[in-house]
Amino acid sequence: MPDPHRVKLGHQAPNGIAAGLLALVERGAAKRPRVAREMRGRVEIRFAENYAPVRLDFQNDHVLVEDGNGKRWKSDLLIEGSLPDVVQLATAPLVGGVPKPTNRRGRAALATVAARRVRIEGSPMLARRVMKLLEV
């Protein structure tokens, strides 16, 4: 079961930010251990800027957070956008696993998705759980 002590940092690229996302995943696993325990699947986050994609691999006993190494990776969920837009989406207050439309930050995050500045492809359930895990 993933917990803050079972979040592992894998490959780090020279232009990578996996270590920064590792901190968010560890914090989320500590705040929401049940959500972290129940997550399974592979998530890839790609950025419009020249950062390596970040991969989150939720397994039975740990979470691996790493920068992409140039090889294609089969993921269950793809999140793609600029770093500021992805961070805004990931840190927005949520209701039911999606940004709250009654909150200013939530509406701003929803606008990034509606304008296709952030694209989300794949499992909607995994997307809601990832957002809940990363919620600040």
Side-chain angles (χ1 to χ4, degrees), residues 1-31:
M1 82 174 118
D3 64 40
H5 306 291
R6 305 288 304 179
V7 179
K8 301 175 181 181
L9 181 61
H11 172 75
Q12 290 185 272
N15 64 334
I17 59 170
L21 246 61
L22 175 96
L24 286 175
V25 173
E26 282 180 328
R27 181 179 183 277
K31 282 182 71 175

Side-chain angles (χ1 to χ4, degrees), residues 17-47:
I17 59 170
L21 246 61
L22 175 96
L24 286 175
V25 173
E26 282 180 328
R27 181 179 183 277
K31 282 182 71 175
R32 299 171 187 88
R34 186 182 61 78
V35 171
R37 265 194 312 274
E38 293 173 356
M39 291 185 69
R40 298 291 178 278
R42 301 171 100 188
V43 179
E44 184 166 8
I45 305 171
R46 295 186 196 152
F47 303 98

Side-chain angles (χ1 to χ4, degrees), residues 42-46 52-56 68 71-80:
R42 301 171 100 188
V43 179
E44 184 166 8
I45 305 171
R46 295 186 196 152
V54 175
R55 298 170 176 173
L56 310 173
K71 297 178 183 171
R72 293 300 286 164
W73 202 62
K74 184 174 169 38
S75 59
D76 302 302
L77 175 66
L78 171 66
I79 301 171
E80 195 169 24

Side-chain angles (χ1 to χ4, degrees), residues 22-136:
L22 175 96
L24 286 175
V25 173
E26 282 180 328
R27 181 179 183 277
K31 282 182 71 175
R32 299 171 187 88
R34 186 182 61 78
V35 171
R37 265 194 312 274
E38 293 173 356
M39 291 185 69
R40 298 291 178 278
R42 301 171 100 188
V43 179
E44 184 166 8
I45 305 171
R46 295 186 196 152
F47 303 98
E49 301 85 357
N50 189 29
Y51 298 115
V54 175
R55 298 170 176 173
L56 310 173
D57 191 2
F58 295 93
Q59 300 177 11
N60 287 336
D61 62 345
H62 70 279
V63 180
L64 178 66
V65 181
E66 66 181 352
D67 291 317
N69 58 8
K71 297 178 183 171
R72 293 300 286 164
W73 202 62
K74 184 174 169 38
S75 59
D76 302 302
L77 175 66
L78 171 66
I79 301 171
E80 195 169 24
S82 72
L83 178 60
D85 287 339
V86 169
V87 169
Q88 182 178 39
L89 179 64
T91 60
L94 303 177
V95 61
V98 296
K100 266 187 190 179
T102 58
N103 178 281
R104 183 179 51 82
R105 286 182 23 234
R107 285 190 302 275
L110 287 170
T112 65
V113 175
R116 307 249 331 136
R117 293 194 324 255
V118 174
R119 285 186 30 238
I120 301 171
E121 295 177 7
S123 168
M125 173 80 72
L126 185 56
R128 286 191 301 272
R129 287 182 174 165
V130 167
M131 293 301 149
K132 188 66 178 169
L133 184 70
L134 299 178
E135 182 183 15
V136 175

